[in-house]
Amino acid sequence: MARFLKNREESKGQSPGALIFIGEKKTTSVQARVIDYDSTILTEQELSHIKDGSHFKQTNTVTWLNINGLHDIEKIKEVGQIFDLHPLVMEDILNTGQRPKVEDFNAYIFIVLKMIRFDTETEMIFNEQLSIVLGDNFLVTFQEQPGDVFEPVRKRIRRQKSRIRGSGTDYLAYSLLDTVVDNYIHIIEVIGEKIEDLEEMILEGNDTTVMEKINAFKREINYLRKSIRPAREAILHLSRLDSDLFQESTIPFLKDLQDLINQATEAIDTYRDLLTDQLNIYNSVMANKMNDIMKVLTIFAAIFIPLTFIAGIYGTNFEYLPELHYKYSYAVFWTALIVIAGALLVFFKRKRWL
């Protein structure tokens, strides 16, 4: 399956809001987990059936429902019915190739981002879609597969005296977004170190795989850029929303989040430009090495041109060549060749061509 675009063959010609899963099935079954809390109580529960968590919506506590797996359309549809989600929202949740964005539906805010991870063995970036529905007292997250970057947030929720336990769903949403963006920056730093290490390899000019590595990192940086630049627009939009779902005390945190995503975007652009510069340096180094080789070959050719000329004259088939009958002609011939070659070497050395 293509990395930059998802195959939308099945959705062609369908009406808006049609529920069709677009993407790759990454887990065998849909898993649901709920965390319900306030400043005094905390409940964590794995749900065997989605409907088992419907009663949490009626409580005054903060409810975080996390769904792993999007391929089971009926179960995702059941979540949408419980939380009264718009059909277009459901369609976007099931489309794992959705562009990062933020939409305000008054009763809730719909957020789409990409969670990314870096495989150190293949040195490739992989992403999965994260959809967040933020309501007044509930927050629902949809992921393509189990395993995420949210464990630090869960640990903070389990600590009774943490800020998150005394805050609402808006601060929980901020915490999840902050964790995603922090992960962006971490992965950019990891890739950045590898990109910077390429410069020494380029200048040495001994590694024949440098060009391949530069092109590979350019591809991964572009893939990363495709996920993070739209996320920057989405977070900027979120920080400017005039919504009652965000308390005044949470707005400064969103502004800080905006600074972090700007930092991530600028770092990507910096490393993208650096890779372009490294490619130019590599081409210059290779061109200089080729020029050095050609210079040596040219010098040898220049030395042998007069030697070949002299050898050619005395290699002719004329019957009368006076020098042929001279007793020391052979020694004189070699002396002349050596003197001419030596004189040319000295000349090239003084010109600093050697």
Side-chain angles (χ1 to χ4, degrees), residues 78-96:
E78 186 178 355
V79 177
Q81 291 171 346
I82 292 173
F83 294 96
D84 299 322
L85 303 184
H86 194 279
L88 290 178
V89 171
M90 300 302 299
E91 180 185 18
D92 288 344
I93 290 172
L94 291 171
N95 176 13
T96 61

Side-chain angles (χ1 to χ4, degrees), residues 145-184:
Q145 61 185 344
D148 52 38
V149 296
F150 297 143
E151 195 56 35
V153 177
R154 295 186 182 98
K155 289 181 179 179
R156 286 158 55 191
I157 292 174
R158 294 178 186 123
R159 293 199 304 268
Q160 185 172 357
K161 295 183 179 181
S162 63
R163 177 194 292 270
I164 198 170
R165 286 287 294 274
S167 304
T169 54
D170 57 335
Y171 189 82
L172 173 60
Y174 155 74
S175 299
L176 298 180
L177 295 175
D178 181 62
T179 305
V180 171
V181 174
D182 282 343
N183 187 55
Y184 287 167

